[in-house]
Amino acid sequence: MSTEWNEKIQQAKEAFGRLLQEQLERVEVMKAQGDFINYKELKPIIIGVCGGDGIGPAITGQAERILKFLLQDEIASGKVEFRDIEGLTIERRAAEGKAIPDDVLAALKECHVILKGPTTTPRKGDPWPNVESANVAMRKALDLFANVRPVRIPEQGIDWTFYRENTEGAYAVGSKGVHVTEDLGVDFTVVTTQGTERIIRAAFEYARANHKTRVTAVTKANIIKTTDGKFLDIFREIAKEYPEITADDWYIDIMTAKLVDEKRRKDFQVVVLPNLYGDIITDEAAEFQGGVGTAGSANIGKRYAMFEAIHGSAPRMVQEGRDIYADPCSMIRAGAMLLNHIGYTKEADQLYAALDICTVTERKLVMTGRDTGATGAQFADYIMETIEKMKG
Ligand code: IPM
Ligand code: MG
């Protein structure tokens, strides 16, 4: 072996050692974690609103207006407080070389739940430095381990809830892979007992509480034997605690195919899966519902929870001056999930019902993403008028 290799291997080992150290420390933090926060005991519940960048501020602002409208009495009585959190923009993140600027993270940590607009994730070749994705960083910093993504198409019998693990897998150290030599690059995927148990338990608990009869795990444990293998083993163990629920497992490749199989896909109910597979398959699933623009997403941890859209920040729409025409539905849906999560289920139901009326049954306004359709503000007004009418 050449000394040149020796040196490179040594450096790679050191980098790997640091990653292992960090991950073991994370395990200790997870072990020490208490139970889920109880929103009923909080006064006020603090809702942070973080617009993000690109079309983020435009669509998040509309969702915020609707939430404030639905919670007006709670705001007046001091039960709920809204806080605007500025500064989670790609410009600031790039200038500071940080996924989340320190003051923004500190402000986020003073909230209980967060409504977050999309943020730009730099990739190779972009004008931005290679800062870590703000989404991924926030999920890690606030330990938002359960990424819950519902997809519902009642007329096709589809009612899926994806429980995507949100802090581990290929994402845990996704921005810390090692270029061992010019020719050899290595990334790492991480699984822990604690991280896997909590997501799988969350999926089964959700199934039990919502009278679902089936939980499906998705892995590639036949090939990725250590990490996916561990995920699957833990799934099978925990499944025994829920004898009333059918637990089955699929490999990600065939699962991706089965989601387009109209006869079989109706059978899936709750699906639990490692981070990267969850990322991929939830985009596929959202596409059946009308595209990623229609889906909201909850990122839930024991202390914090964050609600967002599953699509990107569409910078081109802003460059072309079209951000006011961006469809806020995904953020409004995220807002409905937020309401549900903090216990305002009646308000959440009203919002879901209004979304259904405004986007499916009545559809008085149509959004096209340009001046041929309605603006986000007009659409939000339409939603609020619809709720007023429903209340009679
Ligand atoms: C998502 C997105 C993010 C992810 C990106 C923007 C980092 O695709 O929320 O699914 O990969 O998790
Ligand atoms: Mg995604």
Side-chain angles (χ1 to χ4, degrees), residues 139 149 164 171 278-280 282-283 310:
R139 293 168 189 167
R149 298 186 158 178
R164 165 189 178 191
Y171 283 62
D279 177 47
I280 297 167
T282 53
D283 269 16
I310 79 167

Side-chain angles (χ1 to χ4, degrees), residues 50 114 149 211 226 235 248 252-253 259 317 330 346:
C50 202
I114 296 148
R149 298 186 158 178
H211 311 292
T226 305
F235 173 77
D248 62 345
I252 179 68
D253 48 353
L259 285 193
M317 284 192 83
S330 57
K346 191 186 85 211

Side-chain angles (χ1 to χ4, degrees), residues 10-64:
Q10 199 47 43
Q11 283 167 0
K13 279 184 180 167
E14 278 163 26
F16 187 44
R18 285 191 293 275
L19 294 183
L20 297 183
Q21 175 81 31
E22 278 172 26
Q23 293 305 309
L24 288 171
E25 284 165 8
R26 196 169 61 79
V27 168
E28 293 308 311
V29 172
M30 282 192 281
K31 280 187 188 163
Q33 229 167 27
D35 215 348
F36 283 96
I37 195 167
N38 182 356
Y39 297 101
K40 289 205 181 86
E41 286 168 4
L42 300 174
K43 196 178 178 195
I45 300 175
I46 303 175
I47 303 177
V49 180
C50 202
D53 43 44
I55 58 170
I59 59 177
T60 310
Q62 298 311 325
E64 182 182 2

Side-chain angles (χ1 to χ4, degrees), residues 206-260:
Y206 170 82
R208 182 171 270 175
N210 292 279
H211 311 292
K212 306 281 181 195
T213 53
R214 185 169 175 193
V215 177
T216 304
V218 177
T219 68
K220 187 74 185 177
N222 50 341
I223 304 298
I224 317 290
K225 292 189 195 288
T226 305
T227 47
D228 281 6
K230 187 172 173 67
F231 192 94
L232 189 52
D233 285 346
I234 293 177
F235 173 77
R236 290 190 177 133
E237 263 320 295
I238 291 182
K240 292 183 194 154
E241 296 171 32
Y242 300 84
E244 79 281 17
I245 295 171
T246 305
D248 62 345
D249 82 277
W250 292 69
Y251 294 136
I252 179 68
D253 48 353
I254 188 65
M255 181 70 179
T256 311
K258 283 300 153 200
L259 285 193
V260 284

Side-chain angles (χ1 to χ4, degrees), residues 264-339:
R264 300 298 300 280
R265 65 181 180 187
K266 293 202 263 289
D267 298 339
F268 297 114
Q269 299 180 21
V270 180
V271 181
V272 63
L273 61 189
N275 212 333
L276 183 59
Y277 308 141
D279 177 47
I280 297 167
I281 230 171
T282 53
D283 269 16
E284 184 195 8
E287 195 63 27
F288 302 134
Q289 180 183 267
V292 290
T294 60
S297 160
N299 298 266
I300 296 168
K302 295 205 166 160
R303 165 66 179 80
Y304 298 101
M306 180 264 279
F307 300 81
E308 62 181 346
I310 79 167
H311 57 75
S313 60
R316 193 163 357 127
M317 284 192 83
V318 184
Q319 281 151 25
E320 293 170 5
R322 293 190 285 121
D323 49 339
I324 58 165
Y325 298 104
D327 186 343
C329 272
S330 57
M331 286 308 301
I332 297 172
R333 251 174 232 287
M337 295 182 86
L338 183 153
L339 288 171

Side-chain angles (χ1 to χ4, degrees), residues 62-79:
Q62 298 311 325
E64 182 182 2
R65 281 180 60 212
I66 294 172
L67 289 187
K68 284 183 168 162
F69 164 76
L70 282 165
L71 295 175
Q72 49 192 297
D73 295 343
E74 282 70 24
I75 297 172
S77 70
K79 269 206 222 153

